[in-house]
Amino acid sequence: MDWKLDDGRPIWPQLSQQLARRIIAGVYPPGSRLPSVRELAAEAGVNPNTMQRALAQLEQEGLARADRTAGRLVTQDAAILEGARLREARAVVQDYFEAMSALGYSRERAVELLKEEIP
Amino acid sequence: MLFKLLKYDFRAMWKQFSLVWGAALVLALVNRFSIFVDADDRAVHLRNSFVSSVPMFAFMAVIIAMFVIGIIFVINRFSKGLLGDEGYLMHTLPVRSWELVASKLICGAVTWVGCSAVSFLSALVMLPLNLSDLLQVPFWSDILRALIKHPDMLILVAEFLLMSLSAMVQFIAAIYLAIAIGHLVPRHRKLAGVAAFIGLYILLMNVYGRVFSATFIQRLMDMATANAYGSMLTASATMLIPAALFLAAVCWILEHKLNLE
Amino acid sequence: MSDFLIECRGLYKSYGLRPALSGVDLEVGPGRIVGLLGPNGSGKTTLIKLLCGLLQPTTGWLAIDGEAVGPYTKSVVSYLPDRMYFADWMKALDLFDLFRDFYADFDYQKALAMCRSLGVEPKDRLKSMSKGTKEKVQLVLVMARAAKLYLLDEPIAGVDPAARDFILRTILTNYNPEGTVLLSTHLISDIEKVLDEAIFLKEGKIMLHATVDDIREKEGKSVDALFREIFKAEPMWEGGEDRAV
């Protein structure tokens, strides 16, 4: 999974969103230890302070928690994980509608097109 | 920190001069055998002039080159080493400006002393001395006895060396200050440096001329007849005082006016 | 002692009559990666040289870690100049020796390891090295120190992509967390993600000093895009001074 960063938006929310997606996708499984700030920053090629801020955001959302000895652990709370998954899914849906609207499709038409994809 | 600086300055000096000094000594040795022929009867004869002239010419060239390189070395180590690109390294080292200057000065003076020593040594090497003559005990014991009889000779020699050294330090200090002044000028720095050097010596001569009035000189001469030690020490001092002032000015410029653009 | 690692007040520097810096006030804290951005001739190099003591300010003062520039500040500043600064007769190893002698924070083993990863043979004479290799040696010297302040003058301008990657990775992983990196460049898009703060320098004055995230949030565009707008389209753009902070 590569890190993709857009211009025109602050970097840290993009990082925290992508970290959240990795957690949801199981790249970092529940209860596992997240790589250190430095490792993550070097991997993404970003400033460690920025990565730190993204991780703080994850903690605030409850997706990760600081551990005194082991750095940061991914949450094992299924409700939080499920909530995050749903939020990301909604974001994907919204992106879909936006893209369709740019092509001139109404929401209803977009939903119909989607249904046609399911046999 | 000064010792660490000296370590690197001397290393740079050795890289440049080991070859020149070696060449001078080797050529002197060649001359020893091309000029003089050791005959069986332990007498030495001069060889014919053609065979000896080529190595002699090479030897003279090397000695002259050595002194020219010596002067260029002192100029370059200061102008390029402190005020050129290498200055980017030297001036970002955690040392004081005076340490940088002292290191260059000591290394430069030692280089010149080394050049003088090598030319003196090579002259000795060229002489048709026999090793067995040199190792004879009576020869050395005579010298030793003479010294014990006149121990002041050693002091005079030491004072003479001090005087020569003072003249050298003054000369180097004037070179450094001239380069540093040239550095203050935005353009034509080399030209400004040369002009500053000439100006410094004119100034120095003027000051000397004023301080050493005829009566003062006369008194000094009287003192010299009465006490040769004192006069040479005074001469050293008259050279070292302006040298110290020059060096202080150099340090001040490096500390407060450095502009490596 | 102040909380700032770099503090400049009313810094003014002129070469002859031409001002290179005209009234710079600047504060930079510890542990930051700061981009000093501006076109050529905007005063980036002048500011960096003032900070490492190669130039003296015409007026104004500056302090590093609470002290005026001197042996102490030089012992905590690691400076990468925009040119080659060593004598040709040396080997890279001789330079490592020199740095170990003078800088207590120089890590000899780290320097050797960096040489290995950059493909530089430290036993080679500098004279026989290519320009790019010499630049790598200089970079190794600078980054193998655990300094408080790294001053990098155009570190990524002339190097090949591998070295550029290495430089950015080295800055990110090797600099010590208390240390601040101040790097000047005009190639912003390459380094934007790495920066905490950006300083826009124009004609010797600071036009803008803000965090990258703030710039992106406020302007809705990348620092690179903002930079192009300010510096490239400048004659067409009225009221540009309003954006200066």
Side-chain angles (χ1 to χ4, degrees):
Chain A
M1 216 185 205
D2 273 344
W3 299 85
K4 275 181 70 181
L5 299 171
D6 307 336
D7 285 352
R9 282 202 295 151
I11 293 164
W12 68 269
Q14 305 184 48
L15 292 175
S16 99
Q17 187 182 25
Q18 285 177 49
L19 282 168
R21 286 196 178 171
R22 287 177 178 210
I23 289 173
I24 294 160
V27 177
Y28 307 131
S32 72
R33 190 189 329 150
L34 283 174
S36 72
V37 176
R38 257 159 189 268
E39 282 164 357
L40 285 171
E43 197 190 311
V46 300
N47 184 300
N49 292 324
T50 312
M51 186 56 84
Q52 175 75 32
R53 205 167 161 191
L55 287 164
Q57 174 68 19
L58 281 191
E59 283 176 31
Q60 197 142 43
E61 288 168 3
L63 281 171
R65 65 184 168 81
D67 187 274
R68 214 168 296 158
T69 50
R72 275 185 190 76
L73 299 177
V74 178
T75 184
Q76 286 172 301
D77 188 326
I80 290 178
L81 284 170
E82 205 41 55
R85 189 196 307 276
L86 195 60
R87 202 177 56 221
E88 284 305 316
R90 289 216 160 98
V92 172
V93 171
Q94 285 308 320
D95 285 349
Y96 170 71
F97 281 135
E98 259 171 52
M100 292 305 277
S101 129
L103 292 174
Y105 287 93
S106 68
R107 289 191 160 229
E108 291 71 25
R109 187 80 187 96
V111 172
E112 275 168 29
L113 268 178
L114 209 55
K115 278 185 180 152
E116 284 172 19
E117 287 297 311
I118 304 163
Chain B
M1 284 300 186
L2 180 57
F3 284 101
K4 291 178 183 169
L5 285 173
L6 281 170
K7 184 169 129 192
Y8 288 93
D9 273 330
F10 275 109
R11 215 191 261 184
M13 183 266 264
W14 185 246
K15 288 264 170 195
Q16 221 173 339
F17 281 92
S18 51
L19 204 70
V20 186
W21 289 346
L25 289 172
V26 166
L27 277 171
L29 207 64
V30 170
N31 275 304
R32 155 77 178 81
F33 292 105
S34 62
I35 300 174
F36 305 103
V37 189
D38 290 303
D40 291 337
D41 55 358
R42 293 198 66 202
V44 281
H45 304 279
L46 282 173
R47 263 187 211 274
N48 77 51
S49 59
F50 181 74
V51 178
S52 61
S53 66
V54 175
M56 194 60 202
F57 184 75
F59 173 73
M60 293 304 286
V62 165
I63 292 290
I64 292 169
M66 182 174 76
F67 279 98
V68 171
I69 294 172
I71 289 177
I72 292 174
F73 177 78
V74 164
I75 294 173
N76 272 354
R77 287 299 290 170
F78 189 80
S79 66
K80 289 203 178 141
L82 290 184
L83 299 174
D85 283 354
E86 238 187 293
Y88 280 73
L89 173 61
M90 300 315 284
H91 287 289
T92 48
L93 292 176
V95 295
R96 292 252 169 232
S97 302
W98 71 263
E99 290 174 301
L100 294 173
V101 175
S103 175
K104 300 286 180 215
L105 175 72
I106 293 170
C107 184
V110 168
T111 307
W112 284 3
V113 169
C115 288
S116 313
V118 165
S119 38
F120 180 71
L121 258 179
S122 48
L124 272 189
V125 167
M126 268 198 295
L127 288 179
L129 292 175
N130 241 322
L131 202 61
S132 51
D133 288 341
L134 269 184
L135 290 180
Q136 273 172 9
V137 180
F139 172 72
W140 291 107
S141 63
D142 280 352
I143 289 183
L144 199 67
R145 215 168 303 136
L147 279 180
I148 290 169
K149 227 174 182 177
H150 300 283
D152 49 334
M153 271 310 288
L154 270 185
I155 299 176
L156 282 181
V157 168
E159 282 193 3
F160 178 74
L161 289 179
L162 176 71
M163 201 167 69
S164 319
L165 198 66
S166 307
M168 201 151 79
V169 167
Q170 191 200 60
F171 188 56
I172 296 178
I175 291 175
Y176 286 179
L177 183 55
I179 296 169
I181 290 172
H183 171 75
L184 295 179
V185 183
R187 250 170 276 170
H188 304 300
R189 288 183 165 176
K190 279 180 189 162
L191 208 66
V194 174
F197 186 75
I198 296 168
L200 274 178
Y201 264 88
I202 292 175
L203 179 76
L204 205 60
M205 289 309 131
N206 261 324
V207 171
Y208 278 156
R210 264 162 229 271
V211 173
F212 303 119
S213 55
T215 49
F216 188 89
I217 300 243
Q218 190 53 49
R219 219 170 293 155
L220 214 63
M221 296 287 274
D222 294 344
M223 203 170 86
T225 12
N227 180 352
Y229 313 116
S231 69
M232 277 207 276
L233 284 182
T234 315
S236 299
T238 56
M239 290 186 280
L240 284 179
I241 289 168
L245 290 177
F246 288 174
L247 291 173
V250 170
C251 293
W252 187 85
I253 289 173
L254 290 189
E255 191 95 28
H256 298 281
K257 295 285 166 200
L258 183 69
N259 275 309
L260 291 184
E261 286 164 23
Chain C
M1 212 144 83
S2 75
D3 296 335
F4 297 111
L5 193 62
I6 302 176
E7 229 183 324
C8 305
R9 292 270 170 273
L11 214 51
Y12 184 91
K13 172 73 190 174
S14 64
Y15 302 117
L17 290 173
R18 186 170 52 88
L21 284 183
S22 37
V24 165
D25 294 298
L26 179 66
E27 286 151 359
V28 176
R32 314 290 286 169
I33 300 179
V34 184
L36 190 58
L37 315 175
N40 294 332
S42 55
K44 300 182 302 254
T45 297
T46 302
L47 181 56
I48 286 181
K49 283 187 184 174
L50 283 166
L51 291 170
C52 60
L54 294 178
L55 292 174
Q56 312 300 320
T58 311
T59 58
W61 68 266
L62 62 106
I64 291 168
D65 202 19
E67 303 235 2
V69 172
Y72 169 72
T73 68
K74 289 174 185 180
S75 73
V76 297
V77 169
S78 191
Y79 167 55
L80 181 73
D82 55 354
R83 66 190 68 197
M84 230 45 71
Y85 60 37
F86 26 69
D88 267 350
W89 56 267
M90 285 184 157
K91 296 172 185 161
L93 278 180
D94 293 329
L95 282 168
F96 294 170
D97 282 341
L98 187 146
F99 266 56
R100 181 166 57 181
D101 270 359
F102 284 98
Y103 298 110
D105 59 10
F106 183 75
D107 186 338
Y108 199 89
Q109 293 308 322
K110 194 173 183 178
L112 292 180
M114 286 168 122
C115 276
R116 268 196 300 279
S117 75
L118 274 172
V120 176
E121 175 49 63
K123 287 196 190 75
D124 284 351
R125 257 173 221 297
L126 294 167
K127 198 182 267 180
S128 66
M129 291 180 180
S130 71
K131 183 164 174 284
T133 311
K134 282 187 199 168
E135 277 172 351
K136 286 176 186 167
V137 170
Q138 208 153 302
L139 182 73
V140 167
L141 286 170
V142 169
M143 294 313 294
R145 288 183 55 196
K148 284 195 173 173
L149 177 60
Y150 298 85
L151 298 172
L152 315 178
D153 199 353
E154 294 281 0
I156 56 171
V159 301
D160 57 66
R164 182 175 304 188
D165 264 7
F166 174 83
I167 292 170
L168 293 181
R169 209 156 7 103
T170 310
I171 291 172
L172 287 176
T173 53
N174 272 350
Y175 93 104
N176 71 68
E178 300 302 303
T180 282
V181 178
L182 181 70
L183 64 105
S184 80
T185 188
H186 55 267
L187 302 169
I188 303 173
S189 58
D190 282 339
I191 58 148
E192 178 166 351
K193 292 187 297 179
V194 170
L195 301 178
D196 283 298
E197 301 172 22
I199 298 171
F200 281 24
L201 212 54
K202 189 185 176 188
E203 288 157 17
K205 286 200 178 81
I206 291 181
M207 289 194 66
L208 175 73
H209 179 190
T211 68
V212 169
D213 277 335
D214 279 356
I215 290 173
R216 284 171 166 243
E217 205 152 4
K218 239 190 254 166
E219 306 285 336
K221 58 182 74 127
S222 67
V223 176
D224 187 32
L226 181 66
F227 181 85
R228 283 163 199 273
E229 199 174 296
I230 290 182
F231 290 103
K232 298 250 167 83
E234 206 277 332
M236 313 280 291
W237 190 39
E238 282 175 301
E241 292 304 308
D242 293 345
R243 301 215 174 190
V245 173

